[in-house]
Amino acid sequence: MTPAFSHPRPMQETVAPQSARIDRSTNPATLFNGVIVGAVMAFSLMPEWMAVAPLLFSGKLGPHMPVCLGMLLLGNIVAGMYIPLRRNTRYAFASCRAAQSVPILATLLAHIAAAVPDGPALVPTAVAAIAVSAIVVGIVFFLVGWLKLGGLIRFIPYAVLHGFLAGVGLFLVFFALSLATGSTVTISHLSLLWGEGALLKWGPAVAYGVALFFITNRWKHPLLLPGILVATVLLFLAAIQLAGIDSATAMTRGWILGPFDENARLWPPLDLADLARVEWSVLLQQWGLFGLIALIYVLDLLACSAGRVAAIQQEEDVNEALRVSGASNILSGCLGGYVGYEGVIGSKLSYKLGAPKPVPALTCAAITAVVMMLGESILSTVPKFMLGGLITFMALSIIVEPLFGSRRRTTLIEYLLVWGVALAVLFFGVAEGAACGVLVSLGIFVVSYSRLNVIRFSGTGAKIRSVVSRSQAAEQWLGRTGDCTQILRLQGYIFFGT
């Protein structure tokens, strides 16, 4: 699921030998552990993608939601097959990373739905937007890695980064409520939560997500989360079967996703003829959102890299991770998939169970491919309250640490700034909130730095002499006139005001 974010620390780039890219161990126990890790991650991530897809394809795009899900699944297959085989780390596990960009990508698709009439061009344009997002992210990844700029995250203020991520998490809370209620719940439309029968829709979803968060934080077993998810699905199917309720009735009552367009499918998202229907001019108008998606993913990839170093206690080349992930996402976007790269949980679980690459990621990719072959009928097996609960769980995983757990590790000003940036993101938008945080951080830096004395040492030429050998007459002359020379030893950064 969504990893806990931690502020990265400086690291040295180490390059492993070429032979380290593929672990050639044939130990049956190691291979078995790799399959277990891949299966656990697949059954943990699959419901997450099923929960994200309806958030992205909503409104006019809702009947075509299986197409969006298929693109997320394909992104996982490409990332799982490409990245572990190219990375120089032993426990590389890559998967589709859709939840991080939900607020921005959903906004992008909503703009497209508003600009393109409901007709044959709508779905191809939305699909192209997701694919172009992956390509743009891949290009940015590759350029940042190629220019060796991976260490720049160390210069982003802690409060801005974590407040920004917490703001994204707050957005996810409202998306979870929207998914559960079937209405668009925003900060200005909270009254929708108290309408007739609304509480019975979002209450179970929120309760499920909160319970999932506390259970998985209380007991840290890798099989716990997928076990709960599988048990929830089985109990739900058993309950409606005993009640004599078929899928169509459950869909009508809003218990499961649907109905979908008869032409909606998981794969392929488009036919070649559909490319001619894409409104490319509409996509060009959204260039700012494409850039914002890339920025979010760069920050998340760098944070995940630092998280893996802390979890596995092995240094890694973050610029190599950027280059490899960039190439993978360019390929994924060209094939019709979405963004994928290495997280923390999969690599950490592989390390704990002694399951080196590429078996875990390849197993997860193979299970994903099987689900794609089963088609959109698999969506009728997942209850909607579970999907809303998963979004709530992901939101809590993001916001709890920066908004509540970081108080004892930060100053009061930094802590208030985290909250300020998070609320600014929620009320004014992601870009506006991040810009506000940067400006406030800059102001705090200027005020704090202005209190420091830029002069480290002050003296005159009468007392401070150079090592040059001079005559006695010259030394006497310097002794008489040395007070006319002021010598200053400065420290820190020199600004116009100092």
Side-chain angles (χ1 to χ4, degrees), residues 160-183:
V160 174
L161 176 60
H162 286 253
F164 177 80
L165 296 173
V168 173
L170 292 176
F171 263 115
L172 288 178
V173 172
F174 286 94
F175 279 118
L177 296 172
S178 300
L179 177 62
T181 60
S183 305

Side-chain angles (χ1 to χ4, degrees), residues 425-494:
V425 168
L426 179 63
F427 282 95
F428 304 112
V430 176
E432 294 83 355
C436 178
V438 171
L439 291 176
V440 173
S441 296
L442 181 60
I444 293 174
F445 170 78
V446 171
V447 171
S448 300
Y449 212 83
S450 65
R451 298 173 180 173
L452 299 177
N453 191 353
V454 72
I455 301 175
R456 183 179 180 183
F457 175 80
S458 176
T460 65
K463 296 181 179 180
I464 303 175
R465 301 289 180 86
S466 68
V467 295
V468 176
S469 298
R470 295 184 174 89
S471 63
Q472 184 176 2
E475 290 288 344
Q476 293 175 351
W477 183 85
L478 285 175
R480 294 192 303 270
T481 61
D483 290 330
C484 299
T485 305
Q486 186 74 19
I487 299 175
L488 302 176
R489 182 172 296 175
L490 307 180
Q491 62 181 352
Y493 298 97
I494 310 301

Side-chain angles (χ1 to χ4, degrees), residues 50-409:
M50 292 182 182
V52 167
L55 302 180
L56 301 178
F57 267 43
S58 59
K60 293 192 297 183
L61 292 169
H64 306 276
M65 189 272 289
V67 176
C68 179
L69 177 59
M71 299 185 73
L72 303 182
L73 297 178
L74 178 62
N76 184 69
I77 294 173
V78 174
M81 295 181 65
Y82 183 90
I83 295 176
L85 295 175
R86 300 294 301 170
R87 286 284 280 122
N88 285 330
T89 53
R90 181 176 172 83
Y91 298 102
F93 183 95
S95 61
C96 178
R97 309 279 297 177
Q100 287 72 12
S101 66
V102 165
I104 311 303
L105 188 57
T107 302
L108 171 63
L109 294 173
H111 289 177
I112 290 173
V116 179
D118 190 4
L122 177 59
V123 175
T125 306
V127 169
I130 296 177
V132 169
S133 298
I135 295 174
V136 170
V137 170
I139 293 174
V140 173
F141 276 2
F142 190 86
L143 289 177
V144 173
W146 182 60
L147 296 173
K148 300 186 183 301
L149 300 177
L152 285 178
I153 192 175
R154 299 198 299 268
F155 301 98
I156 299 177
Y158 172 91
V160 174
L161 176 60
H162 286 253
F164 177 80
L165 296 173
V168 173
L170 292 176
F171 263 115
L172 288 178
V173 172
F174 286 94
F175 279 118
L177 296 172
S178 300
L179 177 62
T181 60
S183 305
T184 303
V185 180
T186 62
I187 195 69
S188 57
H189 295 86
L190 293 177
S191 59
L192 294 174
L193 299 177
W194 314 114
E196 184 178 356
L199 181 61
L200 294 177
K201 294 180 179 179
W202 64 264
V206 172
Y208 184 85
V210 172
L212 203 61
F213 176 78
F214 282 104
I215 290 173
T216 54
N217 279 273
R218 174 62 180 83
W219 293 283
K220 303 283 188 179
H221 196 282
L223 296 178
L224 183 60
L225 178 60
I228 293 176
L229 298 178
V230 172
T232 302
V233 172
L234 294 178
L235 290 173
F236 172 76
L237 294 177
I240 63 173
Q241 187 70 25
L242 291 174
I245 300 175
D246 57 11
S247 297
T249 304
M251 193 177 297
T252 303
R253 295 181 179 180
W255 294 353
I256 59 177
L257 297 173
F260 304 117
D261 187 271
E262 59 181 7
N263 295 321
R265 60 197 176 189
L266 293 180
W267 179 257
L270 292 179
D271 295 324
L272 291 178
D274 293 328
L275 292 176
R277 301 188 178 98
V278 175
E279 297 285 349
W280 297 106
S281 59
V282 175
L283 297 184
L284 288 175
Q285 296 172 6
Q286 309 301 326
W287 62 269
L289 292 177
F290 286 121
L292 198 54
I293 291 173
L295 173 62
I296 289 175
Y297 277 123
V298 168
L299 295 177
D300 186 56
L301 185 148
L302 296 175
C304 287
S305 175
R308 288 193 301 273
V309 171
I312 302 177
Q313 298 298 315
Q314 293 180 2
E315 299 290 338
E316 66 175 58
D317 185 350
V318 65
N319 291 307
E320 186 230 8
L322 284 162
R323 294 192 299 270
V324 173
S325 299
S328 174
N329 284 293
I330 293 173
L331 175 62
S332 178
C334 292
L335 294 176
Y338 194 52
V339 176
Y341 50 88
E342 293 173 82
V344 177
I345 304 299
S347 298
K348 183 178 179 180
L349 185 58
S350 299
Y351 170 73
K352 285 188 173 182
L353 295 184
K357 66 174 187 178
V359 176
L362 292 180
T363 301
C364 183
I367 295 175
T368 305
V370 171
V371 171
M372 288 188 68
M373 289 187 290
L374 291 176
E376 61 276 5
S377 60
I378 194 172
L379 294 172
S380 62
T381 64
V382 183
K384 187 180 288 188
F385 81 87
M386 190 185 87
L387 300 179
L390 273 172
I391 298 295
T392 305
F393 169 73
M394 288 187 285
L396 291 174
S397 300
I398 295 176
I399 67 178
V400 167
E401 172 58 26
L403 293 185
F404 302 101
S406 63
R407 176 62 189 95
R408 289 175 293 181
R409 300 192 306 273

